[in-house]
Amino acid sequence: MLDEIDAFCRAEGIRYSIAFGTLLGAIRHKGFIPWDDDMDIIMPLPDMQIFKNKFKSKDLEYLDIDTYKHFDYHFSRIGYRPKRRYKLSLETCNHCLKSETTSYCGNYALTGDWQ
């Protein structure tokens, strides 16, 4: 999942970073935190709006209050489309950030200066 997001962001010049449990896991566990089954990324709000408008994928979908009627989160998410989502196993997710075992990637917008 992160490989596809990274490739798209690099191609479009979109700035982002891993954050929160994903960043902690990358440093402390050299991969995922065993009990944290998602990925967290942050990006400046203008970049996130570009991402939202341009990101297209066969396997992944962008979800937020504008794109999904019953969206219950205060941040956007990038997730596997339903057909793929149910095939994933979350039992072993502590091997690397390139894992396809996570089901969602939280996407948080940043306002202010991006250094």
Side-chain angles (χ1 to χ4, degrees):
M1 177 184 290
L2 191 55
D3 285 342
E4 184 172 350
I5 294 167
D6 179 65
F8 175 80
C9 288
R10 287 175 186 265
E12 294 293 329
I14 294 173
R15 300 165 293 170
Y16 84 96
S17 176
I18 59 172
F20 313 124
T22 304
L23 181 58
L24 179 64
I27 294 168
R28 187 170 67 189
H29 296 274
K30 307 296 184 240
F32 283 101
I33 296 174
W35 55 89
D36 186 7
D37 66 352
D38 68 348
M39 289 184 287
D40 305 301
I41 62 172
I42 56 175
M43 62 180 62
L45 183 57
D47 294 55
M48 190 167 92
Q49 291 169 339
I50 294 168
F51 185 93
K52 176 181 177 176
N53 292 329
K54 291 187 172 185
F55 183 73
K56 305 288 184 254
S57 171
K58 181 181 72 144
D59 294 323
L60 302 175
E61 61 185 342
Y62 180 92
L63 304 167
D64 69 5
I65 59 172
D66 297 324
T67 61
Y68 187 67
K69 183 179 178 181
H70 302 289
F71 194 72
D72 294 329
Y73 299 94
H74 62 279
F75 54 88
S76 60
R77 297 184 95 170
I78 302 154
Y80 284 109
R81 296 186 182 281
K83 189 166 46 170
R84 172 95 189 264
R85 196 175 303 151
Y86 299 113
K87 293 180 181 178
L88 298 174
S89 166
L90 297 176
E91 294 171 7
T92 57
C93 61
N94 191 27
H95 46 24
C96 70
L97 290 175
K98 295 180 180 177
S99 170
E100 289 190 5
T101 59
T102 189
S103 58
Y104 283 102
C105 178
N107 190 7
Y108 303 85
L110 299 178
T111 57
D113 291 335
W114 179 268
Q115 300 287 325

